[in-house]
Amino acid sequence: VMDVEEKIETPKKVRYFSATKFPLKDSDGVINGVCSTIYESTERKEAEAKIIESEQRLASIIQGTNTGTWEWNIQTGETIFNSRWAEIVGYSLEEFSALNIETWTRLVHPEDGALSKSRLDAHLSGQSDYYEAEVRMRHKDGSWVWVLDRGRVFKWDSHGKPLWMSGTHQDITARKKAEENLLNLSKRFEKIFENNAAGIFVVDESRNIVMTNERFATIVKYTKEELHGKNVLFLHVNEESFRLFSPNFIHAREGEQTKIEYRLRQKDGTIIWCELLGNKIDIDEERNGVIWSVVDITDIKKAYQDLEV
């Protein structure tokens, strides 16, 4: 018996045919002919080609994103990892004596295991559409690697019980370090901001106050909570003062440092003289504004006026 596959190129498309051939024998066992069964296998070949193309495309995406992949038999604990999964934690697949869920459990940080389990339980119970957790894993060199772990059940039994789950591991250590550095920088800025001898307030592009330190609140005799979200114009004395402030705000927001002597109205209605120094600041990824440093110079202005008299 012999199986044969033949390709025939027609003007419109390539067609495939599969044939099974077996000999015909007479009563004495002598071969005197051949019998063939032939059927067209074009659709099957095209489907196979699409599967191969899809697998190649997926492999290319995984390689391009440098992502680890995993599959987990939920009932037996059996796991399948790709080589990148192992590389993220400094190993080769061959270095793991056995691949199962315990391989992951041994490497995950104790403080992150509980978070991961709660997220996983939520997904397996149907409370969430997928599983996702950021966890630390022990690298072969002893350091901790941050990993974004994502997955989803793709196979259930006839009773709706989850059987197989698959997902990805992405190394996010660099991102987490950048976030930590940004947080530390933010804390240092906040400390300087609050402990500065000058009053400081930040306004967005609409001139709304988005941040202020305690010193500025004291200068204008409001609480920080009362100032937050208010348009800075409510502190102006009159239209004339606004006409002085507005162009300086625009220049500062465009990147030019501005310095003006300016009158502000305190909460009790008292008018004070202040020196304002403005600089552009990025409030967040989408907004920029101006950070103003404020010094109360009322006493100085009054002393000059007394000397002129």
Side-chain angles (χ1 to χ4, degrees):
V1 179
M2 182 172 59
D3 293 321
V4 180
E5 187 171 76
E6 296 182 355
K7 179 176 70 173
I8 299 176
E9 297 187 14
T10 67
K12 292 185 177 180
K13 64 182 294 185
V14 176
R15 300 176 68 183
Y16 293 88
F17 294 88
S18 295
T20 299
K21 300 180 180 182
F22 53 91
L24 295 176
K25 299 179 182 180
D26 60 19
S27 58
D28 296 322
V30 178
I31 298 174
N32 57 17
V34 176
C35 181
S36 297
T37 58
I38 301 174
Y39 67 93
E40 186 171 354
S41 56
T42 303
E43 290 186 4
R44 177 177 61 80
K45 293 292 290 185
E46 290 177 345
E48 289 176 353
K50 288 181 179 179
I51 291 173
I52 293 172
E53 181 184 358
S54 178
E55 290 177 345
Q56 290 175 339
R57 188 163 57 247
L58 178 60
S60 177
I61 292 172
I62 291 172
Q63 183 178 8
T65 56
N66 210 21
T67 301
T69 63
W70 53 269
E71 294 178 68
W72 174 36
N73 185 319
I74 301 169
Q75 304 306 314
T76 67
E78 174 192 358
T79 55
I80 302 171
F81 302 131
N82 72 345
S83 59
R84 177 56 187 157
W85 189 100
E87 288 172 4
I88 288 175
V89 286
Y91 293 88
S92 65
L93 285 177
E94 292 71 25
E95 289 180 274
F96 293 113
S97 57
L99 293 176
N100 51 51
I101 193 62
E102 293 300 320
T103 306
W104 180 88
T105 304
R106 288 197 311 271
L107 296 174
V108 72
H109 194 289
E111 295 177 5
D112 300 334
L115 169 67
S116 174
K117 184 178 184 306
S118 66
R119 299 278 178 85
L120 180 60
D121 290 344
H123 174 57
L124 295 180
S125 64
Q127 297 176 42
S128 61
D129 293 334
Y130 59 92
Y131 156 76
E132 178 176 305
E134 293 183 357
V135 298
R136 287 163 290 180
M137 298 186 69
R138 175 71 76 178
H139 193 275
K140 185 179 180 180
D141 64 12
S143 64
W144 290 104
V145 178
W146 275 100
V147 171
L148 175 60
D149 193 15
R150 286 175 171 160
R152 192 172 188 178
V153 175
F154 68 87
K155 188 175 182 180
W156 296 260
D157 66 13
S158 57
H159 302 290
K161 194 174 184 178
L163 296 178
W164 277 92
M165 186 172 177
S166 63
T168 60
H169 261 201
Q170 185 178 358
D171 186 347
I172 59 170
T173 306
R175 195 202 81 195
K176 295 295 285 188
K177 286 182 178 179
E179 289 176 355
E180 183 179 358
N181 291 337
L182 184 61
L183 179 60
N184 290 335
L185 181 62
S186 177
K187 288 180 179 178
R188 289 198 298 271
F189 172 76
E190 184 177 350
K191 187 174 181 180
I192 294 171
F193 187 82
E194 281 299 335
N195 296 331
N196 201 298
I200 301 175
F201 68 97
V202 178
V203 294
D204 63 16
E205 63 272 18
S206 300
R207 300 178 175 84
N208 295 322
I209 299 173
V210 296
M211 188 184 299
T212 176
N213 70 354
E214 196 64 48
R215 176 56 185 155
F216 178 69
T218 300
I219 289 174
V220 292
K221 297 183 178 179
Y222 285 89
T223 65
K224 292 169 62 175
E225 292 72 24
E226 288 175 322
L227 293 168
H228 186 78
K230 293 283 185 65
N231 193 295
V232 74
L233 298 181
F234 91 103
L235 295 172
H236 294 330
V237 174
N238 51 35
E239 287 297 324
E240 181 183 351
S241 65
F242 169 71
R243 285 194 293 270
L244 173 63
F245 179 84
S246 187
N248 281 277
F249 168 81
I250 294 171
H251 294 325
R253 191 176 169 220
E254 291 175 348
E256 177 185 344
Q257 186 181 78
T258 60
K259 184 176 181 180
I260 56 174
E261 291 185 357
Y262 195 71
R263 290 183 298 167
L264 293 176
R265 186 187 302 275
Q266 295 177 324
K267 186 176 182 179
D268 63 7
T270 302
I271 306 300
I272 59 172
W273 277 97
C274 293
E275 182 178 85
L276 273 62
L277 183 67
N279 288 279
K280 180 180 178 181
I281 187 173
D282 292 326
I283 298 172
D284 52 39
E285 293 181 355
E286 299 179 353
R287 298 180 300 162
N288 62 49
V290 177
I291 180 169
W292 294 95
S293 175
V294 184
V295 177
D296 185 347
I297 59 170
T298 305
D299 292 341
I300 297 174
K301 295 289 285 187
K302 187 176 184 302
Y304 275 118
Q305 290 173 356
D306 291 342
L307 286 175
E308 291 175 357
V309 174

